Amino acid sequence: MSAQFSVGSGVRQGSCLSPAIFNVFMNVFVVQLKMLNIGCHVTSLFISCMLYADDIILICPPVDGLQQMLDKCSELASYLSLSFNVNKSHCIAVGKIHNYVIKPMTLCGNYVE
């Protein structure tokens, strides 16, 4: 048991409300990214935005489409008063374009490695 402490905003990590509130916020990202109508689809299934815990993976074949997705994430983060840790974010290219020089991607005004 730990000592008592107050929570000034949000919910305490480990609280039974944490997953539900997180899902409400993350659903906004998924819905808005899907509405862009870019990215990867398998038949009618949108797979361009995958979530695990507090991580987001964005997948988009055209590079400019990926930047559009990052721009939408930036817009939503600002609107919802959330932030991304750009230092822990990365872009990778796979397949035939893995050796191409791709223009730097940005998220919330910062370059993504």
Side-chain angles (χ1 to χ4, degrees), residues 5 26 29 42 52 71 108:
F5 61 93
M26 294 316 298
F29 282 89
V42 173
Y52 182 79
D71 292 343
C108 300

Side-chain angles (χ1 to χ4, degrees), residues 1 31 36-37 42 45 61 66 71-72 77 88 102 107 109 111:
M1 298 205 79
V31 168
L36 290 175
N37 201 28
V42 173
L45 183 64
L66 179 58
D71 292 343
K72 179 56 77 172
K88 294 170 105 179
I102 298 171
L107 177 63
Y111 288 106

Side-chain angles (χ1 to χ4, degrees), residues 15-86:
S15 165
C16 61
L17 286 177
S18 295
I21 292 173
F22 177 78
N23 286 337
V24 167
F25 277 95
M26 294 316 298
N27 189 59
V28 172
F29 282 89
V30 175
V31 168
Q32 290 293 311
L33 289 168
K34 187 175 181 181
M35 287 176 56
L36 290 175
N37 201 28
I38 55 177
C40 293
H41 292 81
V42 173
T43 62
S44 62
L45 183 64
F46 176 70
I47 61 165
S48 285
C49 178
M50 292 186 262
L51 307 167
Y52 182 79
D54 62 347
D55 296 320
I56 303 175
I57 298 174
L58 301 177
I59 303 171
C60 193
V63 174
D64 59 335
L66 179 58
Q67 184 58 63
Q68 289 177 45
M69 293 176 81
L70 291 170
D71 292 343
K72 179 56 77 172
C73 287
S74 298
E75 175 188 324
L76 293 169
S78 175
Y79 177 73
L80 297 170
S81 298
L82 299 174
S83 61
F84 286 96
N85 186 344
V86 180

Side-chain angles (χ1 to χ4, degrees), residues 100-113:
Y100 290 171
V101 175
I102 298 171
K103 69 177 186 169
M105 300 280 138
T106 59
L107 177 63
C108 300
N110 298 298
Y111 288 106
V112 179
E113 184 179 326

